[in-house]
Amino acid sequence: MKIAVIGTGYVGLVAGTMFAKVGNNVVCVDKDQDKINLLNQGKVPIYEPGLNQIVLDAQDDKLIEFTTDINKIKDCKVIFLAVGTPSAETGEFNLEFIKTAAKEVAQVISETSDFKVIVNKSTVPPGTMELIKKILNENSNKNFAVVSNPEFLKEGKAVDDFESPDRIVIGTESEEAKEILSQIYEPFSLKRKKLIFMKPVEAELTKLFANTFLANKVALINEFAKICVGFDADIMNVRNGVCSDRRIGWEFMYPSVGYGGSCFPKDIRGLVHSVNQKNINTRIVSSIDTSNREHKSHLAEEIKNYLADKGGITGKTAAIWGLTFKPRTDDMRESAAIDVINFLLANGAKIKVNDPKGMENAKKIFGEKIQYCESKYDALKDADILVLLTEWSVYRSPDFEEIKNNLKLPVIFDGRNIFDPDRLNNLGFDYIGIGRKYLR
Ligand code: UDX
C-alpha cells in the first residue's frame, strides 16, 4: 500500500520506517530540510536503537522516500499525521502544527478524487479528530475518512514496540477505514488480534489515560520514597512487599529523580487544561504534574542538605552520570537532569557531566555553564561528589575503588537506586538514593 507520514520525529520516523520494512511504499514528509537531507544520506537524526539499519534497508529496497514536498503524498491511500503537539505556556497542547498539516493535506487530496484515510498519531486533546475532520471538510473534496490511532511507543524501545505492540487502538466511525487500517497493521498483529476499535475521541482518551496512569505510578512511588526516608525505611524493601501483589506488579514502580520525556509531562498538562476547560473536577489527575515537578529537585535538595555541614554546596564540584530522561535515547526533553543541574548551578556548584548519547543535546541547554567529559571517570577528576541521574547500563557496575580515589568526599547520590547501599557503605561511601539513605 502507498502510505504517507507527515512529520519525521520520534513517532513519525519509526512508524514510516516500520511500514516500509514490511513492504509498503512510504513517503515521509517533513518541513525541516536539514533533517530530510540527513535522512536522504541514510542518517537518522535521533538516537533510537535499531532504527538506522531499518531505514538503510528500506532505502536500498526503494520502499521509503524522504521529502519536504507535500505534493508527493497525492498517490497515497493512507496519510498519517505525526507532527509535534508541544505544550503551550498555559500547559495546553499547541495544535498549530497539526492544523497546518491538516490544511496542507486537504489541499493536496482535493486534487484527486481517490478515497483517502487520514490518520492522526500525534497526542492531542480529546475532540481534536473532530477539528481535523472540520479542516479537511472545509478544504478538500470530502472523499476521506478520519482515524485516531494513538502511539504507545517508548523511546529507546520504539522499534520493538512498533513491531510487537500490546494493542493497536483504532478510533474511527468509517467501516472502510477500519478495513484499510486492519490491512496495514496485520504484520504487527500476528500472534493475536491486537486491533481495538472505538470512536475517535475514545482513542484520544485512551492514550491520555494510559500515560496518566503510568506517570501516576511513578509519581506515587516517588512520593512514597520520601515518606520512607521520613520514617527511616528503605523504599526498595517496601517496594518488594508492595509489588509482589499481582494486582500492583513491578512495572513502572522504579523510584527515580522524576519522570521526564516528551510525553508524560506534556500530555498530563494538556489533559488537565482540557479537563479544566470543561469544568470537570479532578483531584488526582490535576496533582500528578505538580508532584513530579517538585520531586525533580528533591535529590538536589538532598545534596545541598548533605553538604551543609561540609563547607556548603558553593564551590563544590558534582560529577553527574546520565543526562537523558531515560537510557537508550539522546532525548533530554523534561529530563530531571535539567532541574538537578540548574539547582546545583544556582547554588554555586560546578558541574562535570558524562552521558553516552545525551551530550550534544545537553550542550544546547547548558552551553559553557557545565563541563562535558568523554568518559565517566573523567567526570570524577577533581569532583567532590558523584550523582547518578540516568540508569545507563555502562554506569551499573563501575570501579568503585576508582570512584573513591577520585572523589574528595566519598558519597554517591543515586537518582535511580541502581547501587547496593550496604556494599557502598562497606567500601567507605555514604549513599543517598531515592527513598533510601545509608550514611556511615
Ligand atoms: C511513554 C509511554 O511509556 C509510551 O507508551 C508513550 O507512547 C510515550 O510516553 P517514554 O516517554 O518513551 O514513553 O518513556 P517511558 O519509558 O514511559 O518513561 C517515562 C519516564 O518515566 C522516564 O523519565 C523514566 O525514567 C520514568 N520512569 C519510568 C520512572 O521514573 N520509573 C519507572 O518505574 C518507569
Side-chain angles (χ1 to χ4, degrees):
M1 199 172 306
K2 282 199 138 193
I3 296 175
V5 182
I6 317 290
T8 57
Y10 286 85
V11 170
L13 185 57
V14 173
T17 307
M18 297 306 283
F19 286 135
K21 184 183 179 208
V22 294
N24 297 292
N25 282 292
V26 179
V27 181
C28 291
V29 185
D30 201 293
K31 294 202 158 154
D32 185 336
Q33 184 70 59
D34 293 341
K35 233 189 215 184
I36 294 297
N37 290 346
L38 272 178
L39 286 162
N40 279 328
Q41 292 160 32
K43 293 180 192 151
V44 169
I46 51 169
Y47 175 71
E48 185 59 52
L51 187 61
N52 213 336
Q53 191 54 49
I54 309 174
V55 169
L56 289 169
D57 292 346
Q59 283 174 321
D60 278 353
D61 295 341
K62 308 244 175 314
L63 288 173
I64 199 161
E65 183 185 351
F66 297 104
T67 179
T68 53
D69 181 4
I70 188 94
N71 291 304
K72 296 252 173 97
I73 70 169
K74 204 183 285 172
D75 299 340
C76 296
K77 184 168 216 139
V78 185
I79 299 157
F80 285 89
L81 305 178
V83 295
T85 52
S87 271
E89 285 277 298
T90 51
E92 86 188 282
F93 289 100
N94 175 351
L95 296 179
E96 277 321 301
F97 299 123
I98 209 145
K99 286 193 218 160
T100 308
K103 263 187 215 150
E104 289 173 1
V105 167
Q107 269 150 25
V108 179
I109 65 171
S110 63
E111 290 164 21
T112 114
S113 54
D114 303 345
F115 176 72
K116 307 281 186 193
V117 183
I118 317 299
V119 189
N120 178 42
K121 268 203 173 296
S122 308
T123 306
V124 290
T128 304
M129 204 68 247
E130 278 307 308
L131 176 72
I132 295 174
K133 197 167 153 188
K134 189 165 168 272
I135 295 173
L136 290 164
N137 261 326
E138 285 167 1
N139 297 281
S140 80
N141 56 7
K142 301 190 174 56
N143 190 17
F144 65 87
V146 290
V147 180
S148 167
N149 170 219
E151 199 45 82
F152 301 98
L153 303 177
K154 298 184 290 297
E155 285 181 30
K157 299 207 170 121
V159 168
D160 289 346
D161 282 352
F162 200 95
E163 197 136 51
S164 188
D166 288 336
R167 79 301 211 182
I168 299 158
V169 172
I170 307 288
T172 187
E173 267 144 348
S174 155
E175 289 307 316
E176 209 170 345
K178 278 184 200 169
E179 181 52 40
I180 291 170
L181 268 286
S182 301
Q183 264 181 51
I184 289 183
Y185 277 114
E186 204 177 284
F188 309 105
S189 189
L190 293 176
K191 272 188 224 144
R192 59 178 169 84
K193 288 264 168 274
K194 290 182 181 168
L195 269 72
I196 303 172
F197 297 102
M198 56 183 78
K199 289 199 295 189
V201 70
E202 290 163 349
E204 290 165 344
L205 283 166
T206 298
K207 165 78 182 196
L208 292 169
F209 189 1
N211 275 359
T212 304
F213 186 84
L214 294 170
N216 191 40
K217 284 183 98 174
V218 178
L220 188 60
I221 196 161
N222 282 340
E223 285 201 0
F224 237 94
K226 284 181 273 204
I227 295 173
C228 282
V229 170
F231 288 95
D232 202 16
D234 182 333
I235 186 70
M236 297 314 270
N237 293 331
V238 175
R239 177 182 181 270
N240 282 348
V242 170
C243 297
S244 310
D245 183 331
R246 272 179 292 172
R247 293 169 304 173
I248 298 172
W250 301 89
E251 296 293 319
F252 268 79
M253 286 291 275
Y254 295 95
S256 68
V257 270
Y259 66 74
S262 66
C263 293
F264 288 176
K266 163 179 85 78
D267 295 355
I268 292 166
R269 272 176 230 144
L271 172 67
V272 169
H273 191 274
S274 300
V275 162
N276 288 344
Q277 277 196 321
K278 282 251 179 209
N279 289 322
I280 301 166
N281 192 18
T282 61
R283 293 273 180 231
I284 299 171
V285 170
S286 47
S287 58
I288 300 168
D289 183 55
T290 317
S291 168
N292 186 59
R293 275 190 206 221
E294 284 175 11
H295 183 73
K296 279 168 153 185
S297 52
H298 169 71
L299 190 66
E301 273 157 18
E302 289 279 19
I303 295 170
K304 190 178 176 190
N305 293 340
Y306 178 85
L307 294 174
D309 62 0
K310 295 172 184 64
I313 190 170
T314 308
K316 295 278 193 312
T317 300
I320 307 261
W321 284 3
L323 295 165
T324 51
F325 82 98
K326 66 175 192 179
R328 293 166 65 85
T329 178
D330 58 352
D331 199 344
M332 276 202 64
R333 282 176 290 176
E334 308 249 3
S335 172
I338 301 172
D339 300 71
V340 173
I341 292 173
N342 279 335
F343 182 105
L344 297 177
L345 285 173
N347 281 277
K350 291 185 207 125
I351 307 289
K352 296 180 80 181
V353 299
N354 173 259
D355 186 283
K357 297 286 173 197
M359 306 258 269
E360 287 312 309
N361 281 331
K363 284 177 192 164
K364 291 177 203 153
I365 298 170
F366 297 111
E368 306 280 294
K369 284 194 264 179
I370 62 176
Q371 200 181 323
Y372 305 90
C373 303
E374 282 310 312
S375 94
K376 59 181 186 279
Y377 295 117
D378 286 348
L380 299 171
K381 296 204 175 96
D382 301 319
D384 294 273
I385 61 171
L386 170 60
V387 187
L388 177 123
L389 295 180
T390 317
E391 71 278 29
W392 285 97
S393 40
V394 287
Y395 300 141
R396 282 184 181 267
S397 194
D399 182 341
F400 288 110
E401 280 304 322
E402 176 143 10
I403 296 176
K404 199 156 164 236
N405 291 340
N406 277 288
L407 290 185
K408 292 184 197 148
L409 291 171
V411 57
I412 297 182
F413 295 87
D414 180 358
R416 301 284 177 165
N417 290 0
I418 63 172
F419 299 131
D420 177 348
D422 290 328
R423 188 170 161 222
L424 290 190
N425 276 178
N426 289 338
L427 288 168
F429 289 97
D430 280 341
Y431 173 92
I432 296 180
I434 306 295
R436 53 196 335 215
K437 206 179 266 191
Y438 290 75
L439 305 179
R440 288 159 306 138

